[in-house]
Amino acid sequence: MTHKRTHTHTPEPNPTTQAPTHAYLQIGEVAERTGVTQRTLRFYEEKGLLKPPTRLDGGFRLYSEDDVLRVEQIKRLQGLLGFTLADIKDMVEAEEVKSQIKATYRKDAEISERRDKLRKAKEVTVGQVAVIDQKLAALHDMKSHLEEKLDQYDTWLQHLEEQSRAQAR
Amino acid sequence: MTHKRTHTHTPEPNPTTQAPTHAYLQIGEVAERTGVTQRTLRFYEEKGLLKPPTRLDGGFRLYSEDDVLRVEQIKRLQGLLGFTLADIKDMVEAEEVKSQIKATYRKDAEISERRDKLRKAKEVTVGQVAVIDQKLAALHDMKSHLEEKLDQYDTWLQHLEEQSRAQAR
DNA sequence: GCCAACCTTGACGTGCACGTAAACGACAGG
DNA sequence: CCTGTCGTTTACGTGCACGTCAAGGTTGGC
């Protein structure tokens, strides 16, 4: 009989914090949950879209839930918005910059340093919003264009129905 | 000295109808105006996205203003909505009914057929609008997410400034 | 300790959407 | 008629985003 390996890799005991949703995932599970192939996950890593995950002693990749979220983010950016992986890399790097800022943000640091980091994070985010705004504008433009066309179709259909009625008599 | 050829090909005298915006365009002009390469225009023709344009006796392609519009439409469908050229081909074929609607005598039998085609063309456009709405929703979602963060950054910056003022005293 | 399931790193292949080069013909100002 | 510019076809090349083996190593239930 075939038997599944129910690998639940918990690198740390993890006593109280966080329910053991799945602890750490290996590549097959991540692939299944995100709907991309293992190849794609390795490819994204190679291209710098995913940070190199921790490894098991034997070399198996161990992903976090955050990685799953990131993959889903990548998929959204790619599939819905049509960005190239190069574009997306910039965006996830911006995300990375922000989390870096978060990580190095110290309550006890100099106020001016904290302010600078916050401003930097804000700047990055503003850039992201700008990219989105561009897409939004283009899409709105196209939509109004299409709706104009729909009106045209409707008037033509009107015409045809009139002709149809005229001929029925 | 180099001299430009100011080719203005007007196949018909075209007396009263339409201002002579540019008459008929050859491939270089279309390429320049649409922002795609000549190769791309020939490629689209080969793939059935553009109907074979009329030719000059020597074989030069002569495009119409409608062709320019179509190329721009193709670019939007591809770049903004992320459709493949195969998808787009189906769409523009359904839209081909437009040229049919203009000509043709209205025989009774053809009226219902044309109405069906028009409805199909309208459906295609409606589908495109639906895709746009999806993307708009996704983008708005992302944007509000980012703006939430921006607000967060701003309030933190506010806090810092207050502390800074308190310390100045 | 066995073995099936799972993973690893190459390396080559594929579909799409063109890019690029070569060799040649067509158009029009002078 | 000459010449510079523009266009034609044919054919091979390219970048992206993976797909698809191949050959081997790792893990864990039994």
Side-chain angles (χ1 to χ4, degrees), chain A residues 55 62 72 115 134 147 152 158:
Chain A
R55 301 278 189 134
L62 288 183
E72 279 162 358
R115 193 198 52 202
Q134 258 196 318
E147 277 170 344
Q152 185 73 81
Q158 282 295 100

Side-chain angles (χ1 to χ4, degrees), chain A residues 158-169, chain B residues 104-115:
Chain A
Q158 282 295 100
H159 269 244
L160 278 188
E161 275 192 36
E162 278 168 28
Q163 283 186 10
S164 190
R165 267 197 300 276
Q167 216 155 38
R169 223 170 298 147
Chain B
T104 334
Y105 291 89
R106 44 214 146 97
K107 274 165 51 183
D108 182 40
E110 281 179 355
I111 285 188
S112 64
E113 188 205 338
R114 274 197 284 166
R115 191 199 52 198

Side-chain angles (χ1 to χ4, degrees), chain A residues 98-116:
Chain A
K98 287 200 286 186
S99 64
Q100 268 296 314
I101 289 169
K102 241 187 181 177
T104 62
Y105 191 94
R106 305 248 181 281
K107 269 277 188 177
D108 55 299
E110 285 286 331
I111 285 187
S112 64
E113 186 201 328
R114 285 158 67 188
R115 193 198 52 202
D116 285 352

Side-chain angles (χ1 to χ4, degrees), chain B residues 153-164:
Chain B
Y153 292 146
D154 278 339
T155 54
W156 283 342
L157 279 170
Q158 280 298 92
H159 270 242
L160 282 186
E161 274 192 37
E162 277 168 31
Q163 283 186 13
S164 160

Side-chain angles (χ1 to χ4, degrees), chain A residues 73 76-77 79-81 95 98 105 111 114-115 118 121-122 125-126 128-129 132-133 135-136 138-140 142-143 145-146 149-150 153-154 156-157 160 163 167, chain B residues 73 76-77 79-81 95 98 106 108 111 114-115 118 121-122 125-126 128-129 132-133 135-136 138-140 142-143 146 149-150 153-154 156-157 160 163 167:
Chain A
Q73 172 78 352
R76 271 196 302 274
L77 288 172
L80 282 167
L81 310 185
E95 271 312 306
K98 287 200 286 186
Y105 191 94
I111 285 187
R114 285 158 67 188
R115 193 198 52 202
L118 271 178
K122 186 180 168 185
T125 307
V126 166
Q128 289 176 318
V129 170
I132 290 180
D133 278 342
K135 278 267 172 190
L136 278 175
L139 282 174
H140 275 123
M142 184 171 183
K143 186 178 178 180
H145 196 106
L146 287 180
K149 194 182 284 185
L150 280 180
Y153 284 147
D154 279 339
W156 279 340
L157 279 170
L160 278 188
Q163 283 186 10
Q167 216 155 38
Chain B
Q73 172 76 351
R76 278 193 298 268
L77 287 171
L80 253 48
L81 304 192
E95 222 174 39
K98 278 204 291 190
R106 44 214 146 97
D108 182 40
I111 285 188
R114 274 197 284 166
R115 191 199 52 198
L118 253 183
K122 184 181 168 184
T125 305
V126 167
Q128 291 172 2
V129 171
I132 291 181
D133 283 340
K135 294 189 184 263
L136 282 177
L139 281 172
H140 277 125
M142 283 189 165
K143 185 177 175 181
L146 287 176
K149 280 190 181 176
L150 279 180
Y153 292 146
D154 278 339
W156 283 342
L157 279 170
L160 282 186
Q163 283 186 13
Q167 213 157 40

